Amino acid sequence: MTQPKLTPLAARLPASVPFVGPEAQERQRNQQFIARLGANESGFGPSPKAIAAMQKAASEVWMYGDAENHDLRHTLAKMHGVAPENIMVGQGIDGLLGVLVRLYVAKGENVVTSAGAYPTFNYHVAGFGGVLHTVPYKDDHEDPDALIAKALETQAKLIYISNPDNPMGTWHSAETMAQMIAKTPVGSLLILDEAYIDLAPDGTAPAIDVTNPNVIRMRTFSKAHGMAGARVGYAIGHAEVINAFNKVRDHFGMSRISQAGALAALQDTDWLPHIRAEVANSRNRISQIATENGLSALPSATNFVAIDCGADGAFAKSILAALIDQGIFVRMPFVTPQDRCIRVSCGPTDQIDAFAAALPKALATARAALR
Amino acid sequence: MTQPKLTPLAARLPASVPFVGPEAQERQRNQQFIARLGANESGFGPSPKAIAAMQKAASEVWMYGDAENHDLRHTLAKMHGVAPENIMVGQGIDGLLGVLVRLYVAKGENVVTSAGAYPTFNYHVAGFGGVLHTVPYKDDHEDPDALIAKALETQAKLIYISNPDNPMGTWHSAETMAQMIAKTPVGSLLILDEAYIDLAPDGTAPAIDVTNPNVIRMRTFSKAHGMAGARVGYAIGHAEVINAFNKVRDHFGMSRISQAGALAALQDTDWLPHIRAEVANSRNRISQIATENGLSALPSATNFVAIDCGADGAFAKSILAALIDQGIFVRMPFVTPQDRCIRVSCGPTDQIDAFAAALPKALATARAALR
């Protein structure tokens, strides 16, 4: 042995990335995208007040951020009607999911999710040696009953569901989610990823009950708040579950600038209603573009729209490739039958115009390839 | 069981924090510090060009950061005369250390460090179930020979050393470090933490040799570059070791604002010489203050000075407490005999003035307590 050895688990993991980012694709193409509509970022941007707070904090960045995220956590607690001990701030939902899997999933233990749901969660499960069990989507929705049944069958430590769902944009009612929470087996922790909840119809979120140790809710500043690049997410849950993060998290890992930005974003209470209106308009526009091109859009409670391309995954992939060829960054679901769709993020008019202009040619290219 | 169970490892970890941050102490005291000289932050701030770049990036923060850290990695590679494949950018050295321990240390495996060296490294080792073995400092320096001997004895996967050292500020020559690298056992990975290297005498860093898989170098933008709150560090090493990070790291975890700031900081080549001069002045001033108070300062190659208070840890602790009482945030080493010192970060004149004004009273208080 001439080289230090990775752990057996690390040695068998591939070097991989859950998604290839747009910048990496631009470098491969040697050309910038003209529309960035693939990562469900918010092209409407963050609140101007959040931007101002981050700009101010930039000159204070010589200081480490507050390891306790005190001000942000207290503001969030007040907003959600819980105690600060029920809130954990972390480096985006991605970072929080990584810590959560680490805390609960020992090597060989079981985890349940939907086939085609969030790949970064699956990446973390694999990274800690968990065993992933999947159930199919049902009519383009995640299937709470099937997830619960699979969790019972496998004695799963974690169950993952997003509501509203990514990548389909569909959603369940608060009642359905409340029932799922109630049915979560003792011994399982339900991760309810609500990254898109700010963009869903009022009443989509079930009531928050932090006395229940079997569910943890995940929220983010990356979507409606338009701060994906700042890496701020938070979890809401039972105080014991929340405090467990303090066993292993990177206490000084939060950017001070991001902390300031997130706090200011919360204080600008006008911004989310504005974004909800912009996103609703943009969803309508994307649906209309789909219809004009003989395709159909799925209803969405998120800041993106899944467009059903009406055939199989190969056809959708061919459309996607032709869009990317024209400088339109979009993505698509990974798993059949969801992969008959492409997924287009909402965005400012000029970005959606660019998509609208590129779609007919992309369709023609894909259809020609079929012949 | 009414509650999902943590892994056995997580269950036995305490909820803890390697350091209590200054903001947390301010909340406990219910009063702000008047001098922030305890965390080796750089009160001289980051380059104005880095601040400007971060301010510009704030309005682009709706986009995720580049998962490959391409521009920063390529610039760093060029600077160090290595390939981009030899550089891994991460969320500060803290974040990189966490990933490295995860990759190399399976439960029960051995790790070697110095008694009283960086607590956050120890926190990560405990967090992944590693077994920490320590060797004492020797004349206030970390002891490379003892570290290597302990690594051989324990077949350690990782060996940690910082050069220059935190918390003592002492350093070894490049030759000594090169010898330590050469003596690193096959099967061990030497982590050479060079967080403070930009502030050390020229020639303190041994030559970088990325063909050697037994050493990984850690660098940061938190110290000389004055960007602790931005969370940007990087590792330099063998391409295989570096690429292993891609198995488990949070690929989209870097703040886009921090990426922009770090890149601009590198491009402002005038800033580090300026900071080196400021820090050298500040070190001299702190030494002089120590002397004026009948204490002696240790020589330092960092942005802080360890002041030998001339008695035991209890006496130093009593001085520290009396400084904190007067609103001066400083820290001290954890372990005997280093804990006879207090550790004062360099900083702008007004901050050091405040320390100078508070020290005589703190000493008097501590001496009175001895009687």
Side-chain angles (χ1 to χ4, degrees):
Chain A
M1 177 174 62
T2 58
Q3 195 162 329
K5 267 194 193 160
L6 296 167
T7 68
L9 171 58
R12 68 163 196 269
L13 292 171
S16 71
V17 55
F19 301 100
V20 179
E23 286 84 1
Q25 293 187 41
E26 287 174 337
R27 288 189 290 269
Q28 282 160 14
R29 290 165 25 89
N30 202 20
Q31 205 177 338
Q32 300 239 310
F33 283 120
I34 55 175
R36 184 164 164 135
L37 301 170
N40 304 340
E41 298 161 328
S42 182
F44 307 109
S47 154
K49 290 176 185 168
I51 294 176
M54 290 185 277
Q55 288 174 335
K56 179 167 178 292
S59 54
E60 297 160 6
V61 80
W62 61 273
M63 293 182 274
Y64 288 98
D66 173 21
E68 297 181 350
N69 296 291
H70 178 275
D71 297 349
L72 184 54
R73 218 156 38 84
H74 281 245
T75 304
L76 287 166
K78 205 167 170 186
M79 188 177 113
H80 290 295
V82 299
E85 292 69 38
N86 300 116
I87 305 274
M88 177 55 60
V89 171
Q91 297 153 328
I93 293 180
D94 284 2
L96 291 163
L97 287 174
V99 174
L100 195 64
V101 171
R102 176 176 170 189
L103 287 170
Y104 283 95
V105 182
K107 207 155 66 178
E109 287 191 317
N110 295 323
V111 174
V112 169
T113 186
S114 303
Y118 194 45
T120 304
F121 177 69
N122 303 353
Y123 170 83
H124 289 311
V125 172
F128 288 103
V131 179
L132 201 67
H133 300 268
T134 61
V135 301
Y137 276 59
K138 187 177 167 186
D139 298 332
D140 296 324
H141 290 67
E142 294 200 62
D143 184 344
D145 289 342
L147 287 163
I148 294 293
K150 181 62 81 176
L152 280 165
E153 178 196 325
T154 60
Q155 300 188 37
K157 293 298 283 291
L158 300 178
I159 311 168
Y160 176 90
I161 188 170
S162 59
N163 191 53
D165 173 65
N166 177 19
M168 303 309 277
T170 54
W171 69 104
H172 291 292
S173 67
E175 293 67 34
T176 301
M177 294 316 299
Q179 283 163 20
M180 184 180 186
I181 293 169
K183 288 180 196 160
T184 296
V186 292
S188 294
L189 178 61
L190 176 66
I191 305 171
L192 174 49
D193 182 341
E194 298 181 312
Y196 297 97
I197 197 74
D198 300 317
L199 301 159
D202 287 337
T204 303
I208 290 173
D209 173 12
V210 293
T211 67
N212 183 349
N214 293 101
V215 60
I216 186 166
R217 316 278 285 259
M218 295 284 180
R219 303 286 177 98
T220 185
F221 288 84
S222 296
K223 304 302 175 186
H225 281 294
M227 292 173 55
R231 315 313 303 128
V232 190
Y234 62 102
I236 315 170
H238 190 283
E240 271 188 51
V241 175
I242 292 300
N243 193 40
F245 283 77
N246 288 320
K247 293 166 173 268
V248 300
R249 75 182 178 99
D250 186 3
H251 289 265
F252 289 88
M254 288 297 296
S255 155
R256 191 175 185 95
I257 297 172
S258 301
Q259 290 174 326
L263 188 61
L266 289 180
Q267 286 160 350
D268 183 0
T269 50
D270 294 337
W271 192 250
L272 281 195
H274 161 70
I275 290 299
R276 286 170 64 99
E278 290 279 13
V279 164
N281 283 339
S282 194
R283 283 194 298 238
N284 289 341
R285 177 85 201 288
I286 295 168
S287 296
Q288 197 184 350
I289 293 164
T291 307
E292 286 165 7
N293 284 273
L295 310 177
S296 66
L298 274 67
S300 166
T302 65
N303 71 344
F304 62 86
V305 176
I307 297 177
D308 184 339
C309 298
D312 62 2
F315 183 63
K317 201 167 182 177
S318 166
I319 296 172
L320 189 89
L323 285 168
I324 286 175
D325 262 0
Q326 295 176 76
I328 312 295
F329 168 54
V330 287
R331 284 200 176 117
M332 62 181 286
F334 297 96
V335 169
T336 306
Q338 295 97 285
D339 68 356
R340 71 188 191 284
C341 298
I342 59 171
R343 194 193 68 179
V344 183
S345 303
C346 297
T349 308
D350 64 324
Q351 298 267 302
I352 305 299
D353 285 349
F355 166 68
L359 183 58
K361 188 174 161 194
L363 272 171
T365 306
R367 283 178 183 141
L370 278 185
R371 281 180 212 124
Chain B
M1 177 174 61
T2 59
Q3 196 161 329
K5 268 195 194 158
L6 296 166
T7 67
L9 170 59
R12 69 164 194 268
L13 292 172
S16 70
V17 55
F19 301 100
V20 180
E23 286 84 0
Q25 294 188 40
E26 288 175 335
R27 287 188 291 269
Q28 282 160 15
R29 288 164 27 88
N30 202 21
Q31 205 177 339
Q32 299 240 313
F33 283 120
I34 56 174
R36 184 164 164 135
L37 301 170
N40 304 340
E41 298 160 330
S42 182
F44 307 109
S47 155
K49 290 178 185 168
I51 295 176
M54 290 186 276
Q55 289 174 335
K56 179 165 178 291
S59 54
E60 297 161 5
V61 80
W62 61 274
M63 292 181 275
Y64 287 99
D66 173 21
E68 298 180 349
N69 296 291
H70 178 276
D71 297 350
L72 183 53
R73 219 156 36 84
H74 280 245
T75 304
L76 287 167
K78 204 167 171 187
M79 190 178 113
H80 290 295
V82 300
E85 291 70 37
N86 299 115
I87 305 273
M88 177 55 60
V89 172
Q91 297 154 330
I93 293 180
D94 285 1
L96 291 163
L97 287 174
V99 174
L100 195 65
V101 172
R102 177 176 170 189
L103 287 170
Y104 283 96
V105 182
K107 206 156 65 177
E109 288 191 316
N110 295 324
V111 174
V112 169
T113 186
S114 303
Y118 194 46
T120 304
F121 177 68
N122 303 355
Y123 171 82
H124 288 312
V125 171
F128 288 103
V131 179
L132 201 67
H133 301 268
T134 60
V135 301
Y137 276 59
K138 188 176 169 185
D139 299 332
D140 297 324
H141 289 67
E142 293 199 63
D143 184 345
D145 288 342
L147 287 163
I148 293 293
K150 183 60 82 177
L152 279 165
E153 177 196 327
T154 60
Q155 299 188 38
K157 292 298 284 289
L158 299 178
I159 310 167
Y160 176 89
I161 188 170
S162 59
N163 191 53
D165 173 65
N166 178 19
M168 301 309 277
T170 53
W171 68 104
H172 290 292
S173 67
E175 292 66 33
T176 302
M177 294 316 299
Q179 282 161 22
M180 184 180 186
I181 293 169
K183 287 180 197 160
T184 296
V186 293
S188 293
L189 178 61
L190 175 66
I191 305 171
L192 174 49
D193 182 341
E194 298 180 312
Y196 296 97
I197 197 73
D198 299 317
L199 301 160
D202 287 337
T204 303
I208 289 173
D209 172 12
V210 292
T211 67
N212 183 348
N214 292 99
V215 59
I216 186 166
R217 317 278 284 261
M218 295 284 178
R219 304 284 177 98
T220 185
F221 288 83
S222 296
K223 302 303 174 189
H225 281 295
M227 293 174 55
R231 313 314 302 126
V232 190
Y234 60 101
I236 316 170
H238 189 284
E240 270 186 53
V241 175
I242 293 299
N243 193 40
F245 282 77
N246 288 320
K247 293 167 173 270
V248 300
R249 76 182 177 101
D250 186 4
H251 289 266
F252 289 89
M254 288 297 296
S255 155
R256 190 175 186 97
I257 296 172
S258 301
Q259 290 174 327
L263 189 61
L266 291 180
Q267 286 160 350
D268 184 359
T269 50
D270 294 336
W271 192 249
L272 280 196
H274 161 69
I275 290 299
R276 286 170 64 99
E278 290 278 13
V279 164
N281 283 340
S282 194
R283 283 194 300 236
N284 289 342
R285 177 86 202 288
I286 296 169
S287 296
Q288 197 185 348
I289 293 163
T291 306
E292 286 164 7
N293 285 273
L295 310 177
S296 67
L298 274 68
S300 167
T302 65
N303 71 344
F304 60 86
V305 175
I307 297 177
D308 185 340
C309 298
D312 63 1
F315 183 63
K317 201 168 180 175
S318 166
I319 296 172
L320 189 87
L323 285 168
I324 286 176
D325 262 0
Q326 295 177 76
I328 313 295
F329 169 54
V330 287
R331 285 201 174 116
M332 63 180 286
F334 298 96
V335 169
T336 306
Q338 295 97 285
D339 66 356
R340 72 189 190 282
C341 299
I342 58 169
R343 194 193 68 179
V344 182
S345 304
C346 297
T349 307
D350 65 323
Q351 299 267 302
I352 305 299
D353 285 349
F355 166 68
L359 184 58
K361 187 173 162 196
L363 272 169
T365 306
R367 282 176 185 142
L370 278 185
R371 282 179 211 126

